[in-house]
Amino acid sequence: MKSHLAALLCVVLSLVFLTPPAWAETPAERDARMEWWRDAKFGMFIHWGVYSVPAGTYHGEKIGGIGEWIMRRAEIPVAEYREYAQDFDPVKYDPEQWAALAKRAGMKYVVITSKHHDGFALYDSAVTDWDIADASPYGKDLLAPLADAVRDEGLKFGLYYSQAQDWTHPGGAKAGLAEGQSWDEANKGDFDEYLRTIALPQTKEVLTKFHPDVLWWDTPTWMNAERAKPLHDLLADYPEIITNNRLGGGYRGDTETPEQHIPATGYKDRDWETCMTMNNTWGFKSYDHNWKSTEVLLHNLVDIVSKGGNYLLNVGPTKEGEIPQESIDRLTEIGEWMDTNGASIYGTTASPCRRPDWGRITSKPGKLYLHVFDWPSDGKLVVPVEVETSGCHPLADASRNFDVSKSDAGVVVHLTGDAVDPIDTVVELEISGTPKEIFRRVAPAANGTLVLQAGDAVIEGNAQVESIGNQPNIGFWTDAADVVVWNCKSDKPGKYRLAAEVAAPASSKLVVSVGDAKANVAVKATGGYQDFESQDWGEVELKTSGKFSVKIMPKSGQWQAINLRSLKLTPVK
């Protein structure tokens, strides 16, 4: 997780360093440029290179970590690693088959590694002989045939390029080491010279040769604004290109890129894309059989889309050029679901309300798509919104209608019969107007205790719910103007003890109001943003029963960012 201060610094720097399209664009022009990407929702990531030869094993030892990092993890000497290229001969590579698989899975774009951190290029580079054409027996470009095949299927084509890390060419950056350090004299050198002679001309090559729709930078190790600017400036000639936030130097690009996790509430006012593996590795590892199920992958897709993001799902081909059968099987099954339910994914926007217990929600003008992961035993789906409805049925069967009623908790869909799909039955709810969220009113337990969880909060400002250790918490709370509110009810007026589960790098001060009563709180430093502990925040008196709000308000000038998982109010006997 990035620190909040680092995140804030990126925001400040972004005011100075903007990508060329964003610099000149109106909001409408940006929306037009991003339209295909926002509608696509689902893409294929491909990590492929020389690292598929050792496939996770070096000198008979299984090397921990992800497959494409084997050179760095095992500190393999450059000369020895280069020998693997002689066994990188993908004679079974079928780009048309790969593109057809992406299309069959319901994916709308493909992004492949043109050069990963080992420095090996999958195309014929005039900049170096460390490429597929010069260093392997295959002897020819791998990318152009795939670009053609992908576009022939009607999909967009993107390229990943590791602009900073390079463990083969002299001077390339190396994660975990100070600038200029290495495990091998052969790849030591001047980083600025590396950027000038390798990264910059190769980026020019991939842009001019392949005209990618997406350029996916990665790991800005040793980068700063001065070093990133020449790479960034190349984009000026490609006004339609979409880039991510990993160039470095404060250049934010177009998209956030959470890796291997799904943000609890997505990103406010930023396009974003979760990239994720099907097992534990990006590049092929022969012994990694920890495959996610189709159910998990589909639920990930729906969860991401319900929060306004895209899902970039990885495959790691073998050295022969074959995508593992386990990946093919799962993508085929996802595609079968998408054939029926794609309308609930493509072109949708985020849910207008918090996620319900039974599944997720996606949205289009005039429609809410209710993704039912858990078919309710009582047949009732409560959708926590206020909106007029005109019809409701399974997306897979428009003739099967469901009754709809209203309650204080929101719209209630009365299901009949069994689920259409055991993984996700999509119910289409036809609406008119804009849905208004009905926030859950937290009720006390039998003993009178109120437990206010991060996911039930109403946030006024830019703080957001994120996930740390698979537990939601309110984070990115850097602005003292942000207020967090819970709507509650209780029949037990009286004194309550406040206990918070909080993480804080520094001490801070805030005010907790419970109804009309207020308590001044001093938050103790816990050591870091992931170091949660329970803290006693004092006592407050609730003077009336019924409905009330609990608010946390930072004290201006005395506020330092915190992460908050929960606030518990326990009656004082």
Side-chain angles (χ1 to χ4, degrees):
M1 172 187 164
K2 293 179 180 177
S3 73
H4 296 295
L5 292 178
L8 183 60
L9 179 61
C10 286
V11 172
V12 173
L13 287 172
S14 72
L15 298 177
V16 180
F17 302 110
L18 298 174
T19 60
W23 187 262
E25 282 176 320
T26 66
E29 289 168 339
R30 174 180 167 79
D31 288 344
R33 179 170 61 87
M34 296 298 297
E35 183 179 10
W36 76 261
W37 189 92
R38 292 172 179 168
D39 288 348
K41 301 303 180 188
F42 192 26
M44 176 183 282
F45 217 174
I46 304 174
H47 279 68
W48 195 29
V50 168
Y51 40 81
S52 64
V53 175
T57 300
Y58 177 58
H59 288 179
E61 179 184 352
K62 293 180 179 179
I63 304 300
I66 45 184
E68 72 282 5
W69 276 65
I70 190 170
M71 184 182 186
R72 175 69 186 88
R73 300 288 190 209
E75 297 191 342
I76 302 174
V78 170
E80 188 175 349
Y81 189 82
R82 287 180 68 107
E83 293 175 5
Y84 286 129
Q86 292 302 312
D87 291 324
F88 187 54
D89 190 15
V91 293
K92 297 181 180 179
Y93 173 48
D94 187 339
E96 288 80 14
Q97 186 183 66
W98 288 16
L101 176 62
K103 180 70 173 288
R104 189 163 71 248
M107 293 162 157
K108 296 295 186 179
Y109 58 110
V110 173
V111 179
I112 186 171
T113 51
S114 63
K115 186 205 81 167
H116 207 274
H117 307 327
D118 63 355
F120 185 81
L122 296 187
Y123 67 98
D124 186 2
S125 174
V127 178
T128 177
D129 64 357
W130 182 229
D131 63 35
I132 185 69
D134 299 306
S136 83
Y138 192 73
K140 55 187 176 182
D141 179 21
L142 293 170
L143 297 184
L146 183 62
D148 291 342
V150 165
R151 287 168 169 149
D152 286 346
E153 290 286 358
L155 311 181
K156 298 287 188 177
F157 181 72
L159 290 175
Y160 165 114
Y161 183 79
S162 175
Q163 76 282 2
Q165 287 208 79
D166 190 318
W167 306 324
T168 299
H169 293 102
K174 298 155 191 74
L177 296 177
E179 188 170 332
Q181 291 185 340
S182 180
W183 61 92
D184 186 358
E185 290 294 324
N187 59 17
K188 285 185 177 180
D190 181 80
F191 182 51
D192 291 298
E193 179 72 4
Y194 161 78
L195 292 173
R196 187 183 66 80
T197 60
I198 301 294
L200 188 64
Q202 279 198 329
T203 301
K204 287 181 182 179
E205 280 186 333
V206 299
L207 288 170
T208 57
K209 281 177 175 282
F210 308 109
H211 299 278
D213 300 291
V214 173
L215 183 58
W216 217 96
W217 309 108
D218 199 18
T219 62
T221 307
W222 302 355
M223 295 292 282
N224 56 31
E226 183 180 0
R227 289 166 167 173
K229 187 177 185 300
L231 292 162
H232 159 267
D233 287 348
L234 295 175
L235 304 176
D237 291 332
Y238 302 88
E240 298 302 313
I241 202 166
I242 293 171
T243 64
N244 67 350
N245 63 338
R246 299 192 183 190
L247 174 58
Y251 294 93
R252 297 185 74 194
D254 298 301
T255 62
E256 298 295 315
T257 53
E259 182 171 325
Q260 297 286 45
H261 77 279
I262 302 171
T265 53
Y267 290 81
K268 293 181 179 180
D269 303 321
R270 283 285 287 171
D271 292 293
W272 62 279
E273 171 188 72
T274 282
C275 56
M276 195 172 285
T277 56
M278 288 197 204
N279 51 0
N280 293 330
T281 184
W282 302 94
F284 179 73
K285 287 181 75 172
S286 61
Y287 50 89
D288 184 350
H289 305 298
N290 189 27
W291 297 96
K292 299 177 181 72
S293 67
T294 300
E295 178 177 6
V296 167
L297 297 173
L298 255 177
H299 283 185
N300 286 344
L301 170 63
V302 174
D303 187 28
I304 290 164
V305 174
S306 76
K307 297 169 182 174
N310 282 19
Y311 191 27
L312 190 61
L313 185 58
N314 185 72
V315 297
T318 67
K319 66 179 183 179
E320 292 85 7
E322 293 184 301
I323 294 174
Q325 188 62 44
E326 293 88 346
S327 295
I328 294 172
D329 292 343
R330 285 155 177 77
L331 291 176
T332 300
E333 290 168 357
I334 292 172
E336 291 169 352
W337 184 91
M338 294 284 275
D339 286 343
T340 300
N341 300 291
S344 69
I345 299 294
Y346 306 127
T348 60
T349 53
S351 171
C353 59
R354 66 188 180 278
R355 68 186 190 188
D357 294 337
W358 42 261
R360 301 291 185 270
I361 302 171
T362 55
S363 179
K364 281 181 181 175
K367 298 180 188 295
L368 293 180
Y369 296 102
L370 316 180
H371 294 262
V372 187
F373 297 169
D374 300 308
W375 198 256
S377 58
D378 63 0
K380 294 181 181 179
L381 289 184
V382 179
V383 186
V385 296
E386 181 181 327
V387 72
E388 294 299 318
T389 64
S390 56
C392 188
H393 58 83
L395 188 57
D397 185 1
S399 67
R400 182 179 164 188
N401 295 312
F402 298 136
D403 291 334
V404 179
S405 63
K406 295 182 179 180
S407 73
D408 290 342
V411 172
V412 181
V413 176
H414 300 271
L415 303 174
T416 57
D418 297 326
V420 175
D421 189 289
I423 292 177
D424 177 8
T425 296
V426 182
V427 175
E428 182 180 273
L429 179 64
E430 298 172 4
I431 62 173
S432 58
T434 302
K436 180 180 179 182
E437 181 169 12
I438 298 175
F439 290 99
R440 187 169 85 88
R441 194 167 288 278
V442 181
N447 64 359
T449 298
L450 285 155
V451 180
L452 312 182
Q453 303 285 359
D456 292 324
V458 182
I459 299 174
E460 300 174 359
N462 294 313
Q464 58 184 281
V465 177
E466 59 174 347
S467 182
I468 296 178
N470 293 320
Q471 295 189 58
N473 66 273
I474 299 165
F476 296 95
W477 199 347
T478 57
D479 192 336
D482 292 356
V483 177
V484 175
V485 182
W486 288 269
N487 296 313
C488 306
K489 61 182 178 180
S490 178
D491 296 327
K492 296 181 179 181
K495 293 183 178 180
Y496 286 80
R497 200 76 197 172
L498 304 174
E501 192 173 4
V502 63
S507 59
S508 188
K509 291 187 177 180
L510 53 84
V511 177
V512 179
S513 68
V514 179
D516 294 330
K518 293 183 178 180
N520 292 303
V521 173
V523 181
K524 299 174 183 177
T526 67
Y529 287 113
Q530 300 191 31
D531 300 319
F532 285 89
E533 66 179 32
S534 181
Q535 293 188 4
D536 184 345
W537 279 7
E539 196 173 278
V540 69
E541 184 174 3
L542 177 64
K543 296 181 179 180
T544 60
S545 62
K547 298 177 180 179
F548 64 97
S549 294
V550 175
K551 296 183 181 180
I552 298 181
M553 298 166 286
K555 280 197 169 184
S556 181
Q558 303 178 70
W559 173 252
Q560 298 292 330
I562 67 171
N563 284 350
L564 181 68
R565 278 184 180 161
S566 65
L567 179 64
K568 183 166 68 173
L569 285 70
T570 303
V572 177
K573 296 180 180 180

